[in-house]
């Protein structure tokens, strides 16, 4: 069978053996001089790698689960064409498992004096900053026998933001908020404590809301409408200690707490309240204060992107003192922390009165749905033992929640999927009851 292309060339060159002298030996080594000459020429004709100029452009942020496209521009200033394989290296968490080998490798040809672009599509698997490592380029000669290889540092950072999956619940909570504000056609009395306006009485209205003076001045019965208080202060406190590192399903507890905090922040800002964020374990990890309503949510998302759980016990006294300094006036303090008995009883309960005597306190905790499934399991001896252990864990959790409620704390204990809407509902109930 006839040989073609590179195989035919190598076969032809391999049929011409010649002797050359190697100074490292005292004899003559029989080598293939034409093949060696072809390799030397191929190497010499490969475009130099060090002289290439590289730059980046593209996305600087993306939500977790979305893609980010980063474009690499390669300029070839030499007089030789560049035929290259290129690897754009990023940290392993920049890709979904199994996709790095295809997404980071490119082939390109750049004529002399021209430039070409290649795009690397990242799909990060974790929050935080992902920084480009290095670009490795292997430049081949026209025969592809030998290559030059080198690396370039081309800095670029993509910030991976929290996914905010709970934003799908925002429209329904905003509808409830408008109902409280009296801005809907539903003929119900607003439950707030700030007087809003007068309107005509309709059957079903609370008779205590009748304004008798206004009624005496007109021919119909007038009732007062109320609206929830506005411009209240809400401090979101994220516990970033060791308990926040525990994984529930596929994500750490901290990520579920962040998602709930974002939904509450979006809702509260629409309600006219001011929202601040404090992340703490044994020191302040993040603090967002004094943002306007339009600026607040982007600031929270950007700050949360780089937060990671710390494998140490949270200092409850330090957290309380920092929260009191951050919220000097009466506020709603939302603690996103654990309901485990030991951290609550030994850490939070002794200092809780310092918070509750000055502020309204709401504690939200992530429950593990696997424990509920274990509690319902039956059929085998092992399943019964699992169910007993799960029931004991649930009873301990309920007992801890009751201790907090006796101190005046509103407790929300829900699974990751349910925590965000449950926390927002608790906020709306406090607003409706005039406790903010």
């Amino acid at each position: 069978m006839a040989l073609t292309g590179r195989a035919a060339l190598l076969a032809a060159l391999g049929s011409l053996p010649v002797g050359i002298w190697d100074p490292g030996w005292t004899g003559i080594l029989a080598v293939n001089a034409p093949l060696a000459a072809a390799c030397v020429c191929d190497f010499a004709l490969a475009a130099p790698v060090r002289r290439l100029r590289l730059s980046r452009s593209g996305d600087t942020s993306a939500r977790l689960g979305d893609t980010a496209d980063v474009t690499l521009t390669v300029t070839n200033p030499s007089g030789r064409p560049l035929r290259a394989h290129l690897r754009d290296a990023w940290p392993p968490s920049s890709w979904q498992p199994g996709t790095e080998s295809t997404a980071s490798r490119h082939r390109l040809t750049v004529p002399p004096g021209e430039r070409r672009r290649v795009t690397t599509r990242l799909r990060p698997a974790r929050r935080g900053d992902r920084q480009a490592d290095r670009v490795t380029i292997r430049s081949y000669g026209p025969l592809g026998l030998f290559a030059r290889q080198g690396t370039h540092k081309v800095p670029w950072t993509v910030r991976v933001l929290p996914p905010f999956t709970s934003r799908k619940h925002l429209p329904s909570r905003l509808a409830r908020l408008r109902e409280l504000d009296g801005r809907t056609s539903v003929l119900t009395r607003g439950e707030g404590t700030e007087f809003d306006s007068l309107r005509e009485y309709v059957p079903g209205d609370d008779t205590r809301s009748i304004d008798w003076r206004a009624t005496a001045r007109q021919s119909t019965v007038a009732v007062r409408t109320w609206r929830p208080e506005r411009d209240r202060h809400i401090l979101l406190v994220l516990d970033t200690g060791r308990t926040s590192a525990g994984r529930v399903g596929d994500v750490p507890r901290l990520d579920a707490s962040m998602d709930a905090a974002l939904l509450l922040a979006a809702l509260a800002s629409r309600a006219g309240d001011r929202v601040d964020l404090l992340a703490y374990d044994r020191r302040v990890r993040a603090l967002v204060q004094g943002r306007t309503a339009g600026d607040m949510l982007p600031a929270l998302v950007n700050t949360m992107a780089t937060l990671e759980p710390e494998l140490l016990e949270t200092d409850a006294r330090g957290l309380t003192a920092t929260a009191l300094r951050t919220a000097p006036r009466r506020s709603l303090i939302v603690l996103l922390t654990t309901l485990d008995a030991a951290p609550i009883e030994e850490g939070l309960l002794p200092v809780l009165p310092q918070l509750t005597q000055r502020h309204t306190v709401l504690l939200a905790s992530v429950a593990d749905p696997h424990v509920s499934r274990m509690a319902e399991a039956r059929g085998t001896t092992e399943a019964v033992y699992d169910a007993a252990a799960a029931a004991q864990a649930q009873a301990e959790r309920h007992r801890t929640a009751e201790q907090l409620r006796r101190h005046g704390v509103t407790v929300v204990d829900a699974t990751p999927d349910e925590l965000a809407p449950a926390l927002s509902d608790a906020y709306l109930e406090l607003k409706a009851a005039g406790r903010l």
Side-chain angles (χ1 to χ4, degrees), residues 103-125:
S104 65
R105 288 167 168 78
H106 309 275
R107 291 189 178 192
L108 75 161
T109 300
V110 186
E114 297 187 17
R115 62 185 179 184
R116 294 291 186 270
R117 294 182 178 90
V118 293
T119 298
T120 299
R121 174 158 291 181
L122 309 179
R123 193 177 183 89

Side-chain angles (χ1 to χ4, degrees), residues 32 107 128 155 190 206 266:
N32 192 324
R107 291 189 178 192
D206 190 341

Side-chain angles (χ1 to χ4, degrees), residues 69-297:
D69 291 339
V70 180
T71 299
L72 188 67
T73 301
V74 181
T75 303
N76 178 18
S78 71
R80 285 165 277 177
L82 173 69
R83 309 170 186 86
H85 291 176
L86 180 148
R87 179 174 183 261
D88 190 4
W90 291 75
S93 58
S94 302
W95 325 89
Q96 293 295 323
T99 63
E100 188 271 342
S101 59
T102 56
S104 65
R105 288 167 168 78
H106 309 275
R107 291 189 178 192
L108 75 161
T109 300
V110 186
E114 297 187 17
R115 62 185 179 184
R116 294 291 186 270
R117 294 182 178 90
V118 293
T119 298
T120 299
R121 174 158 291 181
L122 309 179
R123 193 177 183 89
R126 290 178 54 193
R127 286 183 298 101
D129 288 341
R130 298 292 168 265
Q131 297 180 343
D133 185 7
R134 66 189 66 190
V135 178
T136 302
I137 300 177
R138 183 173 294 173
S139 172
Y140 291 90
L143 301 178
L145 301 176
F146 265 71
R148 304 169 184 264
Q149 181 168 306
T151 60
H152 290 259
K153 283 282 189 179
V154 192
W156 194 260
T157 301
V158 174
R159 174 157 291 188
V160 186
L161 307 173
F164 193 13
T165 54
S166 63
R167 63 182 178 272
K168 63 188 176 184
H169 299 290
L170 186 57
S172 61
R173 271 62 192 178
L174 288 176
R176 171 62 178 153
L177 180 64
R178 287 192 295 270
E179 190 175 308
L180 290 178
D181 273 348
R183 289 199 294 267
T184 66
S185 59
V186 179
L187 299 178
T188 59
R189 175 184 179 272
E191 299 284 345
T193 59
E194 287 187 5
F195 175 73
D196 185 28
S197 61
L198 294 171
R199 63 170 171 80
E200 186 177 345
Y201 174 86
V202 295
D205 282 339
D206 190 341
T207 56
R208 292 173 297 177
S209 64
I210 296 176
D211 189 318
W212 295 108
R213 290 186 179 181
T215 299
R217 294 194 297 268
Q218 58 189 34
S219 59
T220 57
V221 178
V223 295
R224 300 185 188 95
T225 61
W226 307 82
R227 66 177 182 181
E229 299 87 339
R230 292 179 175 274
D231 199 29
R232 295 306 189 227
H233 180 229
I234 299 174
L235 177 62
L236 303 172
V237 182
L238 280 174
D239 179 358
T240 55
R242 66 169 182 82
T243 57
S244 68
R247 299 184 74 85
V248 178
D250 294 331
V251 298
R253 280 187 165 90
L254 179 60
D255 287 45
S257 297
M258 286 180 181
D259 195 50
L262 288 173
L263 180 62
L264 177 56
L267 179 62
S269 65
R270 299 285 188 91
D273 294 332
R274 294 172 291 113
V275 181
D276 293 338
L277 171 73
L278 169 67
Y280 192 94
D281 40 69
R282 287 190 171 273
R283 64 180 179 87
V284 176
R285 299 292 175 177
L287 181 62
V288 179
Q289 282 183 294
R291 300 302 179 107
T292 62
D295 215 15
M296 181 270 304
L297 200 59

